[in-house]
Each structure stands twice: as structure tokens, then as C-alpha cells.
């Protein structure tokens, strides 16, 4: 792996000894390094460009103060800006709705939707003391319905049965009905995913959204997805009013630049991060820590 950004910047900074201020050409040199670091972390190019423009403005004219080297100052600025960009508006799951509060899980197949649905159920049961029902609208993959059943049991959540011959909207309505009658606080709705974005899938999830009127619509995205995350995020943002993001597989070896892209594209806050395959592998997203990781 390439050397850490702070190291690379200090090389540039050595040439700046004796200067009182960071000049435009210093900033340009440093920004080249920042840009490289972000691209290596798989942040999407348009997002990198916007980010650089913003940081450049902040950095220009900064005084090269006291013992803090300009390189450290620059790393500080970049870190803060990254964290602010990813962390603004962070909040726990919103449950302010007439019960059951419905949470719709959206994302590509393999992103970790089903696993995350159960992790979230466990979080809501244990930390928020809620009575939670789960249901799967994935009528294309009976195995996915079974998978949700299994992981819901591990989470201590009740699972509402569905079958492949039903329409997702009908399943969702029946689940809401059941949840109301049995005084559930929360209904988590897992949905079908595809390996790539497709129109039928988007139409279906829009219909589901309209029928469910969820209080949270969460976009589940794989931190390892890298550059592709931007197209996925765009497509889901266009289809749905996303209220939050869950970044999965942050325990993988990617630098997690997808977080920055997805946050920038959707404007929705990253609420949680998946940190393992296990049912308790979910954490509140820590923007500062993630910023450090992206910069390496
Ligand atoms: P879905 O198709 O979106 O429902 O995805 P699944 O929930 O079936 O997850 C796909 C794979 O990713 C499974 O093997 C999960 O165990 C794994 N997975 C999900 N979240 C995480 C995570 O945060 N960390 C790791 N290491 N694996 C995860």
C-alpha cells in the first residue's frame, strides 16, 4: 500500500521551510497528493474534484503557525473536511411514526441487506427496547426469505412469512397489518436486490415505498464497492427518498472511499457501519475514524 498521506505531505512541506504562509503553488502540490490518496481509496472522481476544490479554498492563505508544520495543518484540514462531509447529520434510526415504524432496506444483491436487517433488528431490540418484526419482499429468491427467517431468529426478532408467489406490495401490506394487530413498534422490510441496477427492480421498490410510507428508507451499500458505488447510489437516490445509509463490510481491506462518494451523491447521512458477518457486527458510523482510514 502507498505511504500515508501525512508522510507524503511532509515531503512537500520540507521545501516550504521558512515561509510564513501556504502559497497557491504549495497548495497545488499538496492537493495532488490528497487527490491521489482519495483515488487510491476508490473515491469517485467527481467527488474527489469537488472535495479538492473545497479544501483548496480553506487551505489557501493559512498561516504556517508555530510548531504545527504546514503538512500537519493540511492533513488536519483534509481530515476535518472529510469527516464533516461524511458525518454531518448523523443520527440514530428515526422511529417517530405511528407504530409500526416501517424501515425499508434498499440496495444491490450481496450488499448485505438481509444480514443488516437482522443486525438492525437486534440493535433496535436491545438498545431501543423495541418489539421488532421483519419481513422479506424478495420473491425471486426463496433462499433469501429463508435466510431472513434464520437471522431474525438469531436477532430475537419475529419474522413474518412470505412466499415466492406473492407480490411484494401485498406481502408488505399483510406484514403491516399483522404488526399493527400484534403491537409491534417496528417493521423492517428487506427487499429484492439485483447484481446490477435494473428498471424493473427500481419500479418495484418505488411501489413498495409508496405502499409502505416508511419512516426510514435505508440504502445498504458495500464499502468494498469502490468506484461503482457512485452509479448505484445515483440510481437508488433517483428512485427513492433515502433517509440514511448503512455502509457494510468496513472490516474488509478496502479503504472505504465508497462512504464519501455515497454520502456526496445521496446527501443522506451514513448511520451505521457493518463491521463483521456476525449478528452483532454493526456500529454507529464514526466519521472521523473513517476519514483517517480513507487517507491512509
Ligand atoms: P443481500 O443480498 O444484500 O441481502 O446480502 P447478504 O445479507 O446476504 O450478505 C451478503 C454477504 O455479505 C454475506 O456473506 C454476509 O455475511 C456478508 N456481510 C454482510 N455484511 C457484512 C459486514 O459488515 N462484514 C462482513 N465481513 N460481511 C458482511
Amino acid at each position: 500500500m502507498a505511504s500515508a498521506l501525512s508522510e507524503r505531505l511532509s515531503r512537500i512541506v520540507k521545501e516550504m521551510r521558512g515561509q510564513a504562509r501556504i502559497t497557491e503553488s504549495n497548495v497545488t502540490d499538496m492537493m495532488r497528493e490528497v487527490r491521489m490518496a482519495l483515488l487510491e481509496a476508490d473515491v469517485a472522481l467527481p467527488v474527489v474534484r469537488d472535495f479538492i476544490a473545497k479544501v483548496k479554498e480553506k487551505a489557501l492563505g493559512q498561516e504556517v503557525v508555530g510548531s504545527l508544520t504546514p503538512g500537519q495543518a493540511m492533513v488536519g484540514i483534509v481530515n476535518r473536511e472529510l469527516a464533516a462531509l461524511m458525518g454531518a447529520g448523523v443520527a440514530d434510526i428515526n422511529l417517530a411514526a405511528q407504530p409500526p415504524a416501517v424501515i425499508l432496506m434498499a440496495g444491490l444483491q450481496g450488499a448485505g441487506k438481509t444480514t443488516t436487517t437482522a443486525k438492525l433488528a437486534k440493535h433496535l431490540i436491545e438498545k431501543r427496547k423495541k418489539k421488532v418484526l421483519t419481513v422479506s419482499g424478495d420473491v425471486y429468491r426463496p433462499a433469501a426469505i429463508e435466510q431472513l427467517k434464520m437471522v431474525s431468529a438469531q436477532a430475537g426478532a419475529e419474522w413474518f412469512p412470505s412466499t415466492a408467489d406473492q407480490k411484494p406490495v401485498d406481502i408488505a401490506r399483510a406484514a403491516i397489518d399483522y404488526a399493527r394487530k400484534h403491537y409491534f413498534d417496528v417493521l423492517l422490510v428487506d427487499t429484492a436486490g439485483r447484481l446490477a441496477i435494473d428498471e424493473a427492480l427500481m419500479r418495484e421498490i418505488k411501489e413498495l415505498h409508496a405502499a409502505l410510507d416508511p419512516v426510514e428508507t435505508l440504502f445498504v451499500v458495500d464499502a468494498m464497492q469502490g468506484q461503482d458505488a457512485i452509479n448505484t447510489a445515483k440510481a437508488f437516490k433517483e428512485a427513492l427518498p433515502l433517509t440514511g445509509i448503512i455502509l457494510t463490510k468496513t472490516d474488509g481491506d478496502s479503504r472505504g472511499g465508497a462512504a464519501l462518494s455515497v454520502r456526496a451523491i445521496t446527501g443522506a447521512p451514513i448511520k451505521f457501519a457493518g463491521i463483521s458477518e456476525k449478528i452483532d457486527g454493526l456500529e454507529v458510523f464514526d466519521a472521523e475514524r473513517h476519514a483517517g482510514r480513507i487517507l491512509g
Side-chain angles (χ1 to χ4, degrees), residues 181-241:
K181 284 193 182 117
H182 295 84
Y183 304 104
F184 281 88
D185 302 305
V186 183
L187 171 64
L188 287 168
V189 183
D190 190 9
T191 59
R194 298 281 198 286
L195 292 172
I197 300 148
D198 93 16
E199 254 177 60
L201 167 76
M202 287 305 179
R203 214 168 26 244
E204 181 185 287
I205 201 158
K206 273 190 197 170
E207 277 171 23
L208 252 182
H209 184 275
L212 288 166
D213 191 21
V215 64
E216 288 270 20
T217 302
L218 301 176
F219 175 47
V220 179
V221 61
D222 182 341
M224 313 270 281
Q225 213 197 345
Q227 298 284 345
D228 288 343
I230 200 161
N231 293 327
T232 316
K234 265 188 196 148
F236 278 93
K237 181 201 158 60
E238 274 163 25
L240 297 167

Side-chain angles (χ1 to χ4, degrees), residues 12 29 44 47 75 93 115 118 120 122 125 139 167 170 173 181 185 201-202 222-223 235 247 251 253 268:
I12 295 175
D29 288 348
V47 178
V75 171
I93 298 295
T115 312
L120 202 52
K122 189 173 163 75
I125 292 165
V139 294
K167 286 203 189 103
D170 295 338
R173 290 212 178 100
K181 284 193 182 117
D185 302 305
L201 167 76
M202 287 305 179
D222 182 341
L247 190 68
D251 52 310
D253 58 8

Side-chain angles (χ1 to χ4, degrees), residues 73-90:
M74 183 65 72
V75 171
I77 293 170
V78 172
N79 245 317
R80 268 197 306 281
E81 287 298 312
L82 267 185
L85 194 61
M86 289 187 298
V90 163

Side-chain angles (χ1 to χ4, degrees), residues 231-261:
N231 293 327
T232 316
K234 265 188 196 148
F236 278 93
K237 181 201 158 60
E238 274 163 25
L240 297 167
L242 302 174
T243 59
I245 296 161
I246 300 186
L247 190 68
T248 61
K249 309 185 196 179
T250 62
D251 52 310
D253 58 8
S254 93
R255 298 256 288 272
L260 197 62
S261 309

